[in-house]
Amino acid sequence: MRYFLPVLFFCFGHSLFAQSYALSDLMATPYLSGLTAASKQSTLLFTANQQGKRNLFMIDGPDQPARQLTQFNEDDGLELTSVSISPDGEWAVFVRGGDHGANSAARPTNAASYISPQKIQLYSVNLGSGELKNLGDGDFPQFHPGSKKIVFINKSQPWIVPADGSQAAKPLFQVSGSVRGMQWNPDGKALAFTTRRGAYSFIGVYNEGQSRIQWISPSFSRDDYARWSPDGKQLAFIRQPASGGALDSLLKKKHSTWSVMVTGLDDENAKEIWKTPATLRGSVPSWQGAFNLNWPVQDRIVFLSYQDGWPHLYTIHPQTKSVQQLTKGKYVVEDISYSSDGSKIAFCANTGNTPGDNDRRHIGIVPVSGGEIRWATSGDGIETSPSFTSNDQSIAYFSNTAQRPLLPTVLKLEPNAKPALQGKELLGNFDYNKLITPKQVSFKSPDGITVYAQMFAPQNASSKSPAIIYVHGGPRRQMYLGWHNMDYYFYDYQTNQYLASLGFVVLSVNYRMGTGYGYEFQHPDNAGMNGASEYIDVLAAGKWLAKQPGVDPKAIGIYGGSYGGYLTAMALGRNSDIFKAGVDIHGVHNRKKKLNEEEYAPDFNEAARIAWESSPSKWVNGWRSPALIIHADDDQNVAFSQSLDLVNRLKTKGVPTEYLVIPDDTHHWLLFSNLVKVKTASIRFLQQQLMKK
């Protein structure tokens, strides 16, 4: 058996691979995120990760170049998040540090292995002068409506600091539990918040000048997502049952109920104005922003529900309780934002008139009062992260294609207006026309489910090609027919492109449990630890790929990260006859349950048996194909011990195994040099095993 040492680094470039560009050149593509638009001005802010150097950029008007506002010039593993602009457009605030994609609350990380501890810190920038201020330790900032102060979370409690840093930050108040979800009322004299206290949570209000917190209709529930009415006299929030009571079945699907509540500040008890239908579709939406509760205009409260089988927007009148569905159709709604007057909603959705649009995103605008949706974008591109700007006269968003990466784009909301790309100078000199346009394909799983995928076919292949199944993580994700707006999949898209340039056929599979194809697809029967039915789609993809005329059926590999790593390990353990090699990146491998003999669900033993059957570690006896196992040991999403368990089992069985261990990094490869190691090792391994090079 061969092993990669933690510090091993593979060189890459034209000398190693005979293709038209080097992996290093493609990976130099900057990843842009955090697009934020000023509501009154035409100012755009966004972050750019340029080979690990993460900085804040500003575009101050049409046709203006992107201007770098910060000078963080090392690959230091410190991400930039929570970018926002003050209501008056004078200040910006952002957070530096932590891993905000982790499953647990963000904590300081040290992916670069510095000898001193790292922090999560708040910064402000004066957008006129460019002056940068370090405001101290903190996270999740929000501007006061007056723009001069910022409230934020530090050690699970709310703090406040002047935007210009003229005074040191100080606690705003302190309560039991962990504070989250803060929102100022319109005049800035009261702050609503949630305090989580284990199995339950309360809504509280801090009133300026008062010595006590006002609690809003406390109950034996989990109350969260407090939203002020536009006049500041009422609050809407979401109420869910607190956890507790006798344990129910672990295998049976169950409805999770929730309600929209409304209360005046002087009311003793909140009123339930809407309760979700008692159906599986009506359960708590497993979706970006969850309930997406908002109160944009006085007579409309907006929320998102999956109740008709797709995640759509609804409004409810706070007095009459009449409900109206704003968006309808077989598509998803996400990236939701509001005009400054609250009258319009911009969102992106996977629908349109171009073939394959269910694997893209386009932007729609709908009146909060209801009515026809205006589809602002269309075609074979992908548009995400919309927001209104320039006094609601324009929308700003990220756009990309199969070839061109994400760039800020502005579209005036007037007839015949054309989108204006911004920041093109950031892309450098790489020739993106060399990239392949993936083709949408579909096939049927044995149980009749239609599965969509994107195929990357090598250009000018003269014989049957080796092939690779790519499995995304999540599992609540969807890969597109172009660059992705999430950083993890932005770089996986690069990897798929590069593998195709080497001569591989790559099939990126949107398996069941993923998003984009409706409730039943996202919530299938017998999935995850209850039977791993999603693996049926991965196996079907491998069999479908083996039948394609340009594919060598004896040279099919598989790779993926996180949930994709889990399914990669399942494929190698259960079907080494089809999958001849694989790269398993920080996957879950052992889902066996531990028995609590004092109290456990009535079907615990059966659930434990099925969970073990759904674990890759269970299937090592049939594992024959070579594997590369990759994991970082500060992973806050999948425990490092999951790969320890699998590696030890594979060693015992004599399975040819290589590994790459990354000390101190997380699930999201915060250090760019570590990301390069992972991608290079993965590509090299697949090439060696399937091309015999």
Side-chain angles (χ1 to χ4, degrees):
M1 291 183 287
R2 295 166 292 166
Y3 301 96
F4 292 124
L5 297 176
V7 296
L8 188 58
F9 180 80
F10 289 104
C11 297
F12 54 93
H14 290 285
S15 60
L16 182 60
F17 302 129
Q19 73 292 324
S20 60
Y21 56 86
L23 178 60
S24 56
D25 293 337
L26 183 57
M27 292 193 71
T29 302
Y31 170 67
L32 309 186
S33 63
L35 181 64
T36 306
S39 61
K40 298 178 181 178
Q41 301 86 357
S42 57
T43 303
L44 303 182
L45 295 183
F46 58 92
T47 63
N49 182 349
Q50 297 170 301
Q51 296 175 277
K53 303 175 183 69
R54 297 172 172 90
N55 282 287
L56 184 67
F57 283 77
M58 178 172 74
I59 297 176
D60 197 14
D63 302 320
Q64 295 297 309
R67 179 159 61 95
Q68 186 172 328
L69 295 178
T70 58
Q71 300 297 325
F72 302 123
N73 295 322
E74 292 185 31
D75 176 18
D76 53 19
L78 299 177
E79 66 176 11
L80 303 186
T81 56
S82 297
V83 178
S84 63
I85 300 175
S86 61
D88 64 5
E90 183 178 352
W91 294 91
V93 66
F94 64 92
V95 172
R96 187 167 188 252
D99 181 0
H100 291 80
N103 289 342
S104 56
R107 59 170 174 76
T109 56
N110 188 11
S113 301
Y114 288 113
I115 61 174
S116 57
Q118 299 302 291
K119 300 177 179 180
I120 300 176
Q121 294 194 308
L122 222 63
Y123 288 80
S124 67
V125 183
N126 185 290
L127 297 181
S129 67
E131 185 178 8
L132 180 69
K133 294 284 187 178
N134 184 331
L135 303 178
D137 296 356
D139 208 345
F140 306 111
Q142 286 198 22
F143 277 104
H144 184 273
S147 299
K148 304 303 181 186
K149 297 181 289 186
I150 299 168
V151 66
F152 61 96
I153 297 296
N154 184 19
K155 298 177 182 178
S156 300
Q157 296 295 313
W159 287 49
I160 195 164
V161 65
D164 62 3
S166 57
Q167 298 177 20
K170 62 182 181 181
L172 182 62
F173 60 86
Q174 186 167 347
V175 295
S176 297
S178 177
V179 172
R180 52 168 279 164
M182 301 181 296
Q183 188 184 46
W184 290 105
N185 73 342
D187 65 10
K189 294 181 179 179
L191 182 76
F193 63 93
T194 298
T195 173
R196 286 193 168 181
R197 301 182 177 184
Y200 62 97
S201 57
F202 297 145
I203 301 290
V205 174
Y206 162 82
N207 291 287
E208 191 177 76
Q210 299 295 316
S211 61
R212 298 186 182 188
I213 296 296
Q214 179 181 1
W215 297 110
I216 303 299
S217 190
S219 68
F220 293 102
S221 304
R222 282 183 294 148
D223 295 341
D224 207 346
Y225 303 96
R227 299 292 183 265
W228 290 99
S229 60
D231 64 6
K233 296 179 180 180
Q234 294 176 287
L235 280 169
F237 61 92
I238 298 295
R239 173 162 287 175
Q240 303 173 72
S243 57
L247 295 179
D248 199 353
S249 168
L250 296 173
L251 295 172
K252 182 181 177 181
K253 288 183 176 180
K254 296 176 285 293
H255 166 69
S256 56
T257 189
W258 56 283
S259 302
V260 178
M261 312 292 292
V262 169
T263 183
L265 295 185
D266 297 327
D267 295 344
E268 185 173 344
N269 294 305
K271 298 177 181 178
E272 180 183 274
I273 64 168
W274 184 82
K275 187 174 183 178
T276 182
T279 63
L280 291 175
R281 288 178 169 186
S283 297
V284 173
S286 299
W287 200 247
Q288 177 197 72
F291 311 97
N292 287 274
L293 186 71
N294 211 324
W295 199 334
V297 294
Q298 197 64 33
D299 62 351
R300 294 287 192 280
I301 295 172
V302 180
F303 63 91
L304 181 141
S305 173
Y306 235 134
Q307 61 186 283
D308 78 342
W310 296 84
H312 280 302
L313 293 173
Y314 297 78
T315 65
I316 183 168
H317 195 288
Q319 279 77 47
T320 67
K321 303 181 183 180
S322 60
V323 176
Q324 181 180 18
Q325 186 171 353
L326 294 182
T327 59
K328 298 179 182 179
K330 293 184 177 182
Y331 59 85
V332 304
V333 172
E334 58 191 14
D335 288 0
I336 298 160
S337 65
Y338 291 79
S339 60
S340 60
D341 63 1
S343 66
K344 295 185 288 292
I345 303 174
F347 61 91
C348 64
N350 61 333
T351 187
N353 297 320
T354 304
D357 271 344
N358 59 342
D359 282 344
R360 298 189 183 94
R361 292 294 186 270
H362 298 308
I363 293 171
I365 300 173
V366 64
V368 170
S369 59
E372 185 177 353
I373 296 173
R374 172 183 176 179
W375 294 104
T377 67
S378 61
D380 59 4
I382 297 169
E383 300 85 34
T384 54
S385 304
S387 58
F388 291 90
T389 187
S390 303
N391 290 312
D392 301 333
Q393 299 302 304
S394 301
I395 55 170
Y397 53 91
F398 279 131
S399 71
N400 63 275
T401 66
Q403 280 77 37
R404 178 181 57 76
L406 282 72
L407 283 176
T409 308
V410 176
L411 177 66
K412 292 183 178 180
L413 297 178
E414 57 187 36
N416 303 316
K418 294 183 178 181
L421 290 178
Q422 311 286 310
K424 289 180 283 188
E425 65 277 4
L426 294 174
L427 294 183
N429 298 320
F430 185 84
D431 183 3
Y432 292 100
N433 291 320
K434 293 181 179 180
L435 299 186
I436 293 165
T437 299
K439 176 185 177 183
Q440 187 188 54
V441 299
S442 64
F443 52 87
K444 292 279 189 180
S445 266
D447 57 359
I449 288 181
T450 298
V451 179
Y452 290 93
Q454 302 90 40
M455 178 179 281
F456 300 74
Q459 298 174 350
N460 304 317
S462 58
S463 60
K464 288 194 173 186
S465 301
I468 294 170
I469 298 288
Y470 164 73
V471 195
H472 67 71
R476 293 185 171 93
R477 301 285 185 268
Q478 181 185 11
M479 297 305 291
Y480 304 150
L481 288 163
W483 291 82
H484 209 284
N485 58 317
M486 293 181 66
D487 57 349
Y488 196 104
Y489 304 107
F490 178 88
Y491 293 110
D492 280 0
Y493 183 78
Q494 291 181 354
T495 306
N496 291 340
Q497 285 281 355
Y498 189 72
L499 286 167
S501 79
L502 294 176
F504 287 101
V505 173
V506 181
L507 189 68
S508 174
V509 182
N510 283 332
Y511 55 91
R512 75 186 75 181
M513 289 188 81
T515 58
Y517 310 106
Y519 182 88
E520 279 70 29
F521 190 91
Q522 185 179 336
H523 300 271
D525 293 335
N526 308 316
M529 67 173 61
N530 290 342
S533 63
E534 64 276 19
Y535 175 65
I536 298 172
D537 300 340
V538 176
L539 179 58
K543 291 181 177 180
W544 180 89
L545 193 56
K547 295 177 181 178
Q548 302 311 301
V551 170
D552 180 356
K554 297 180 180 180
I556 295 177
I558 185 169
Y559 89 99
S562 194
Y563 211 90
Y566 160 69
L567 288 171
T568 293
M570 287 290 282
L572 297 174
R574 293 177 61 172
N575 288 102
S576 282
D577 57 326
I578 293 175
F579 302 102
K580 302 303 182 181
V583 181
D584 167 6
I585 305 170
H586 46 226
V588 172
H589 305 121
N590 191 334
R591 310 185 87 156
K592 193 171 184 178
K593 297 177 182 293
K594 294 182 179 180
L595 176 63
N596 179 352
E597 295 183 354
E598 294 182 0
E599 183 178 5
Y600 57 95
D603 58 356
F604 181 92
N605 290 330
E606 178 65 5
R609 182 190 67 79
I610 293 174
W612 179 233
E613 292 284 332
S614 306
S615 301
S617 292
K618 159 71 167 61
W619 299 95
V620 295
N621 286 340
W623 192 316
R624 300 289 181 268
S625 298
L628 170 60
I629 312 296
I630 301 176
H631 215 132
D633 81 320
D634 193 25
D635 193 320
Q636 299 164 49
N637 296 65
V638 176
F640 187 68
S641 59
Q642 288 286 330
S643 289
L644 286 174
D645 179 89
L646 180 64
V647 167
N648 286 333
R649 292 174 188 270
L650 293 175
K651 285 181 181 179
T652 300
K653 296 297 180 181
V655 177
T657 308
E658 300 180 3
Y659 63 82
L660 175 60
V661 172
I662 307 287
D664 292 338
D665 212 332
T666 73
H667 198 72
H668 299 99
W669 311 122
L670 296 179
L671 200 68
F672 185 79
S673 60
N674 286 338
L675 175 69
V676 172
K677 287 181 185 179
V678 169
K679 297 305 183 186
T680 306
S682 300
I683 292 166
R684 174 79 175 255
F685 179 83
L686 292 169
Q687 192 178 27
Q688 287 177 335
Q689 297 298 328
L690 301 173
M691 289 182 167
K692 305 303 179 184
K693 292 186 178 182

